Amino acid sequence: MAIQVKVSDHINQSLEKVFETIIDQQKIVKYFVSSSSGKIATGAKIIWEFKDYDVTLEVHILDVIENKKIQFEWEASGNKAQVIILFSEENKGKTNIEITEDSFEENVEGIKRAMGQTQGWTDFICSLKAYLYTGINLRTAKMN
């Protein structure tokens, strides 16, 4: 058996705006990564750089369904993992986002990695909200 990370929240912005803010390489650098080598699209291989952690990751985009789903593989926790981001519209101007990352072993190391990724995805959603609501990049403490 394996441990699954799952984080979800509501964002008071349109579904289209939330989705575009994640897939657009010019926008994702304003709240999440320091640099991105490309737009999130099915089949793409993107390099994300996190200067604040001195980390560079290769991200393999497996599937993108506009305004519904982003699915990719990466090794952010040290092991290959699959991430699925699902989007739904609760009502006009309010978007539900659910992020799942699989899978982590049921041992001390796996639990540590899962907890770290839970913190990371929670930070992602908080940073996304701060950027969408105010234009502030929480990672750099600057206005964009």
Side-chain angles (χ1 to χ4, degrees), residues 66-91:
E66 187 174 357
N67 299 324
K68 296 202 182 298
K69 176 183 168 187
I70 298 168
Q71 182 177 2
F72 62 88
E73 287 182 338
W74 68 347
E75 294 185 17
S77 68
N79 291 335
K80 185 182 260 186
Q82 191 170 117
V83 175
I84 299 175
I85 305 173
L86 298 175
F87 305 84
S88 61
E89 189 172 61
E90 187 169 315
N91 55 48

Side-chain angles (χ1 to χ4, degrees), residues 63-141:
D63 193 24
V64 176
I65 301 171
E66 187 174 357
N67 299 324
K68 296 202 182 298
K69 176 183 168 187
I70 298 168
Q71 182 177 2
F72 62 88
E73 287 182 338
W74 68 347
E75 294 185 17
S77 68
N79 291 335
K80 185 182 260 186
Q82 191 170 117
V83 175
I84 299 175
I85 305 173
L86 298 175
F87 305 84
S88 61
E89 189 172 61
E90 187 169 315
N91 55 48
K92 200 66 177 164
K94 189 171 187 178
T95 301
N96 293 320
I97 185 170
E98 179 181 284
I99 303 169
T100 305
E101 186 166 352
D102 285 317
S103 57
F104 302 89
E105 293 181 20
E106 283 192 34
N107 57 35
V108 172
E109 189 59 35
I111 291 168
K112 285 181 185 177
R113 289 178 179 183
M115 291 180 72
Q117 290 307 98
T118 301
Q119 178 182 346
W121 287 118
T122 301
D123 182 63
F124 170 84
I125 292 174
C126 291
S127 295
L128 174 61
K129 287 172 122 178
Y131 172 69
L132 286 169
Y133 297 167
T134 67
I136 293 174
N137 183 334
L138 293 179
R139 296 178 83 93
T140 63

Side-chain angles (χ1 to χ4, degrees), residues 6-101:
K6 188 174 278 190
V7 176
S8 62
D9 204 349
H10 307 280
I11 301 173
N12 291 318
Q13 295 286 323
S14 72
L15 176 63
E16 296 80 12
K17 186 171 185 176
V18 172
F19 186 82
E20 183 63 27
T21 302
I22 294 173
I23 66 166
D24 186 314
Q25 82 181 92
Q26 301 302 317
K27 293 179 181 170
I28 200 167
V29 298
K30 295 184 178 185
Y31 66 91
F32 183 51
V33 298
S34 304
S35 67
S36 174
S37 67
K39 182 176 181 171
I40 294 174
T42 300
K45 290 186 180 178
I46 299 171
I47 303 297
W48 281 344
E49 183 180 12
F50 298 84
K51 288 183 181 174
D52 46 341
Y53 292 102
D54 195 28
V55 170
T56 301
L57 296 170
E58 188 172 287
V59 181
H60 300 263
I61 310 301
L62 303 173
D63 193 24
V64 176
I65 301 171
E66 187 174 357
N67 299 324
K68 296 202 182 298
K69 176 183 168 187
I70 298 168
Q71 182 177 2
F72 62 88
E73 287 182 338
W74 68 347
E75 294 185 17
S77 68
N79 291 335
K80 185 182 260 186
Q82 191 170 117
V83 175
I84 299 175
I85 305 173
L86 298 175
F87 305 84
S88 61
E89 189 172 61
E90 187 169 315
N91 55 48
K92 200 66 177 164
K94 189 171 187 178
T95 301
N96 293 320
I97 185 170
E98 179 181 284
I99 303 169
T100 305
E101 186 166 352

